[in-house]
Amino acid sequence: MITSRDGLCGIGELAERAGVTVKTVRFYSDRGLLPEASRSDGGHRRYGPGALDRLRLIRSLRALGLSVPEVRRVLDEEDETREAGGEGAPGGGALEAAVAGRLRELGSELRALRWREAALRLVQECPPGERAGRLRLIGAVPAPPSTAPLVRFWRGWLPPRMPARAAGAFLDVAVPQPPDDPAPDQVLAFARLNALTLAPCPGTAQPQPEAHRTAGAQGSAVLYAGLAEAYELAGAHLRRGRDPQPGEALDGFVAAYTSAYGVRDTPDFRRRLAGQLAADPRIDRYWELVAEVLTPPGRRPEPTPGSAHDWLLAALVAQTGAPPVPMT
């Protein structure tokens, strides 16, 4: 309660009532957040009756982590509402936008902290002789981790001039998102995956399967869309622990190739496809690491496009009697 006759108070009294320092009041005044009502004959700042509530609001907004410019926008909006005859209580678009932005920032910060915690546990729990190698792996991954190297890896694998929409849909499936709250083993798997995709490729380019390269850019879009559906069906079998077998998943797998090539599904085509796919380059290590990234410790590994492809190819080989799939 202000006790002066003119209803104004000095900077010291305002600071004491708000529970802040004089330096803090001066800081907000100098930045235009807390207007002065007047100055005394000696040049001291004087504040009106509304200054205390305004200062408390500023302090609350700052305690939530809002920046000074964001606080200014909230206060300006409050002033405009009051001048227009409204209640002038904070709660408009400026406050909502500031709070939403701060929540996004906190989410990123929390993910980074959880990632660092798991990485520290990984180093703490590993044998001393392995620490140097793990530190190198972890040090190459930012916190929170980025999937950019994995995306670049697949950009080199996918057919040139593949439609952007089809390529994006495939990348959504092929590039795992790091878990928000990872276990140490998941951090290690993602760091190894990151290192794998950054390693120099043999030859001059990423080895692309012949069965995919011959489809062409437009055919590849059809091919990958069909494969995505077949992989999803095969994934259901993998989750149930079923052995590779003929059925809807395998038929959809073959149909993806016949649609891309514009040919009929015949026993001869299936035999040739099985042989070609068995001879194509494989990146089993990539998919093994993806499964480790996505699967918390103690859980059954989640199916990946790689494990689904292997299941379907094994079913195709068994059906056609093609040469066995080479181990990599």
Side-chain angles (χ1 to χ4, degrees):
M1 181 177 179
I2 298 174
T3 57
S4 62
R5 293 181 179 178
D6 59 3
L8 304 180
C9 68
I11 191 170
E13 182 181 356
L14 179 61
E16 181 180 0
R17 291 183 178 281
V20 299
T21 64
V22 169
K23 183 179 180 180
T24 298
V25 178
R26 187 177 294 114
F27 174 85
Y28 293 136
S29 291
D30 290 344
R31 278 151 185 78
L33 301 181
L34 189 65
E36 306 163 17
S38 64
R39 291 266 179 153
S40 68
D41 293 340
H44 298 295
R45 305 172 196 245
R46 304 284 288 170
Y47 296 91
L52 181 57
D53 286 341
R54 189 177 183 91
L55 182 54
R56 285 172 174 166
L57 173 58
I58 293 171
R59 186 179 60 179
S60 298
L61 294 173
R62 292 288 285 160
L64 292 174
L66 273 63
S67 67
V68 170
E70 287 172 328
V71 171
R72 177 177 288 109
R73 285 193 287 272
V74 172
L75 294 174
D76 288 346
E77 186 175 73
E78 181 186 19
D79 292 341
E80 291 172 3
T81 302
R82 184 180 291 107
E83 290 172 3
E87 294 182 1
L95 180 61
E96 292 178 1
V99 170
R102 186 59 185 140
L103 284 173
R104 287 192 296 271
E105 293 171 4
L106 281 175
S108 180
E109 292 168 10
L110 289 172
R111 286 193 295 273
L113 288 173
R114 287 191 289 262
W115 184 268
R116 290 194 183 103
E117 180 185 19
L120 286 168
R121 293 189 183 281
L122 177 65
V123 174
Q124 182 184 51
E125 296 167 3
C126 77
E130 297 179 14
R131 284 178 179 166
R134 291 194 177 182
L135 283 171
R136 283 194 295 271
L137 281 171
I138 296 169
V141 180
S146 169
T147 58
L150 283 64
V151 171
R152 287 194 296 270
F153 173 85
W154 281 109
R155 290 290 185 189
W157 177 278
L158 293 172
R161 297 179 299 280
M162 184 174 174
R165 184 174 181 180
F170 176 81
L171 291 173
D172 287 342
V173 176
V175 176
Q177 295 302 312
D180 288 340
D181 190 8
D185 287 345
Q186 290 174 293
V187 169
L188 180 59
F190 189 87
R192 285 173 171 166
L193 190 60
N194 183 74
L196 175 68
T197 58
L198 291 174
C201 299
T204 59
Q206 192 77 264
Q208 185 189 99
E210 179 66 25
H212 295 189
R213 185 163 52 245
T214 55
Q218 293 297 327
S220 294
V222 175
L223 173 62
Y224 280 96
L227 289 178
E229 295 180 7
Y231 291 161
E232 185 174 353
L233 292 172
H237 291 294
L238 284 164
R239 290 186 181 93
R240 293 177 173 85
R242 294 175 179 170
D243 293 331
Q245 57 191 267
E248 183 182 5
L250 179 58
D251 291 343
F253 182 63
V254 175
Y257 288 95
T258 57
S259 298
Y261 297 154
V263 299
R264 292 191 307 113
D265 179 2
T266 65
D268 181 60
F269 175 80
R270 292 198 176 207
R271 282 193 295 272
R272 288 187 288 109
L273 179 63
Q276 179 62 69
L277 292 176
D280 272 341
R282 301 164 66 80
I283 49 173
D284 289 345
R285 183 56 177 158
Y286 179 94
W287 296 117
E288 290 171 1
L289 291 170
V290 167
E292 292 177 21
V293 169
L294 297 177
T295 308
R299 301 273 189 88
R300 179 191 290 270
E302 279 295 311
T304 66
S307 61
H309 180 89
D310 289 346
W311 190 94
L312 291 162
L313 179 53
L316 184 61
V317 167
Q319 184 187 64
T320 61
V325 179
M327 297 299 293
T328 58

